[in-house]
Amino acid sequence: MMDDERAPRFLAGGGEMGKLTREFDWSKTPLGQPEGWPQSLRTTVRLLLNSRHPMFIWWGQELIQFYNDAYRQTMGPERHPSALGARGRECWAEIWNIIGPQIDYVMAGCGATWHEDRLVPVTRHGRLEDVWWTYSFSPIDLDDKVGGVLVVCRDVTSEHNATQSITLINEELKHRVKNVLAVLGAMASQTFHNVASRADLAKYLERVSAFGRANDLLIAANWAAAPLHDVVTTALQPYQTNEGQILVSGPPLFVKSQQALSLCLAIHELATNAIKYGSLSAANGHVSITWSVDDRDPEPQFVFVWQEIDGPPASEPREAGFGSRLIPRALKGDFGGSVEMNYEQTGLICRLTAPLNNLKSRLT
């Protein structure tokens, strides 16, 4: 044991664990007095004691232990303060089957390890708890070999449990949405039961199916947002007939949940029309779907274009049907932009332009 005035400078500071480390009788361990410790161990101990991130050290063949105040917060009375200066294998016997091979890997000179959201149970406060950790084991050099292992870690149990809860809720929500859509389909089948209504029933069920696919995508993305490319490809799943007939390209962008729904439904209507009357009805016809960011103006614009090529000439319908009304209204309202429908000799062109800031900047 030594007082603070006689303690080596590298043991200065470090809060409660710094004090305990200075007062510990290291002469009773294989390390001996701190004045004789290797420089790499001194430097790492000083780093550990003065860090606010949970850190732990195993040193030497006996894996003598050090830890800091931040790591102490993750321990129960079963190990604190008895773990300080103790041998690693004896201290962590209950989980040695998990961490032992990882320590051996580092001590053998094979490099560092990384473990994310990993279950490593810990006994604390009288019971074995399931604790999830994100941590790394890194080598501490000693001359031309590895002298010890530095652990930098974080208890991520609360985040893990929150993610699991969200997953369960989303699965339940997905199940309920599918049930609701199935009920709507059954009601429609009963309502449109005569022969004359079968075509209308088929259109309705196709739209319900498109809505269902969009919901599945959003549930997978936790409802906050969805990658634009995934939204487009999900909407196109039933219409990919010949390879290369529908071309999709654009930079990585994200759209909000309601934008994903309206875009999915709009693509369904455009694709259905293209198969019946547009470029996808022609042997050599195809569709180009592109999106880009136009930053020439002070406010960058998101530009989404559906373009039909090498199909029959497009003509504006005399009477606006469901799709003709849905596409401009839904896209304009949900994206806060403008929609142009151009009926060209080479095919239909639908262009959506909206402020880039109206899209989701990232997944959250």
Side-chain angles (χ1 to χ4, degrees):
M1 179 183 298
M2 64 180 71
D3 56 35
D4 285 356
E5 289 155 359
R6 292 191 299 112
R9 185 176 178 184
F10 72 87
L11 291 179
E16 178 186 332
M17 287 310 302
K19 184 174 185 297
L20 289 175
T21 303
R22 289 188 292 274
E23 293 178 348
F24 192 84
D25 189 355
W26 294 101
S27 66
K28 295 182 178 180
T29 73
L31 294 180
Q33 294 292 356
E35 291 85 349
W37 294 354
Q39 184 58 48
S40 59
L41 176 59
R42 293 185 180 198
T43 301
T44 311
V45 169
R46 180 173 178 79
L47 170 69
L48 170 142
L49 291 177
N50 290 281
S51 174
R52 295 186 179 182
H53 195 96
M55 300 174 75
F56 196 97
I57 292 173
W58 284 297
W59 183 262
Q61 293 303 311
E62 296 84 2
L63 301 176
I64 303 302
Q65 302 180 148
F66 301 81
Y67 56 97
N68 61 8
D69 282 327
Y71 189 88
R72 175 177 57 86
Q73 302 300 322
T74 70
M75 305 171 75
E78 292 84 356
R79 288 195 174 87
H80 174 71
S82 61
L84 182 64
R87 290 172 168 80
R89 182 182 293 271
E90 298 169 3
C91 182
W92 302 101
E94 69 202 69
I95 56 170
W96 201 254
N97 63 313
I98 299 174
I99 65 173
Q102 299 166 6
I103 296 169
D104 291 342
Y105 179 89
V106 178
M107 291 294 289
C110 299
T113 70
W114 173 255
H115 312 274
E116 192 167 359
D117 198 19
R118 174 74 181 269
L119 174 61
V120 183
V122 175
T123 298
R124 54 191 181 190
H125 307 293
R127 66 187 183 90
L128 183 65
E129 297 183 18
D130 283 345
V131 184
W132 276 262
W133 303 85
T134 291
Y135 62 97
S136 66
F137 287 175
S138 303
I140 306 172
D141 293 336
L142 176 62
D143 299 327
D144 59 348
K145 59 183 180 180
V146 176
V149 178
L150 171 65
V151 184
V152 180
C153 61
R154 189 164 70 91
D155 181 343
V156 295
T157 305
S158 58
E159 293 95 324
H160 174 89
N161 290 339
T163 300
Q164 291 297 103
S165 296
I166 291 173
T167 300
L168 289 174
I169 291 171
N170 277 339
E171 286 300 316
E172 176 62 21
L173 181 59
K174 182 178 180 179
H175 177 70
R176 293 190 180 189
V177 168
K178 286 186 178 295
N179 283 345
V180 169
L181 295 180
V183 170
L184 290 175
M187 291 173 61
S189 297
Q190 292 296 318
T191 304
F192 305 115
H193 61 276
N194 59 55
V195 175
S197 301
R198 285 180 180 173
D200 292 333
L201 173 61
K203 290 180 181 178
Y204 175 81
L205 292 179
E206 287 172 359
R207 287 163 180 156
V208 169
S209 178
F211 187 80
R213 291 194 301 274
N215 271 277
D216 286 347
L217 176 64
L218 289 170
I219 289 172
N222 292 335
W223 286 96
L228 177 55
H229 187 273
D230 291 357
V231 173
V232 174
T233 55
T234 297
L236 290 171
Q237 282 176 1
Y239 311 105
Q240 292 285 10
T241 52
N242 299 325
E243 185 175 355
Q245 198 169 24
I246 302 179
L247 305 176
V248 178
S249 66
L253 293 173
F254 303 102
V255 292
K256 300 175 183 178
S257 56
Q258 187 57 43
Q259 292 169 344
L261 290 172
S262 61
L263 186 59
C264 201
L265 291 173
I267 290 174
H268 164 75
E269 296 298 329
L270 289 166
T272 300
N273 184 75
I275 288 174
K276 291 181 177 180
Y277 315 111
S279 61
L280 296 184
S281 67
N284 298 321
H286 61 280
V287 171
S288 169
I289 303 175
T290 61
W291 60 89
S292 59
V293 176
D294 185 350
D295 55 5
R296 290 175 295 179
D297 294 332
E299 184 179 18
Q301 298 292 303
F302 165 67
V303 181
F304 182 93
V305 179
W306 168 288
Q307 183 173 7
E308 298 182 24
I309 303 169
D310 294 334
S315 57
E316 187 170 358
R318 296 179 181 178
E319 296 183 6
F322 176 81
S324 301
R325 295 193 302 270
L326 168 76
I327 294 170
R329 290 180 184 177
L331 294 182
K332 182 178 179 180
D334 292 329
F335 282 86
S338 61
V339 177
E340 299 177 14
M341 302 287 287
N342 296 319
Y343 300 88
E344 307 288 347
Q345 284 295 311
T346 56
L348 174 67
I349 301 176
C350 175
R351 180 186 299 270
L352 163 67
T353 304
L356 182 64
N357 285 338
N358 290 359
L359 275 64
K360 196 73 174 178
S361 60
R362 56 188 173 87
L363 288 178
T364 52

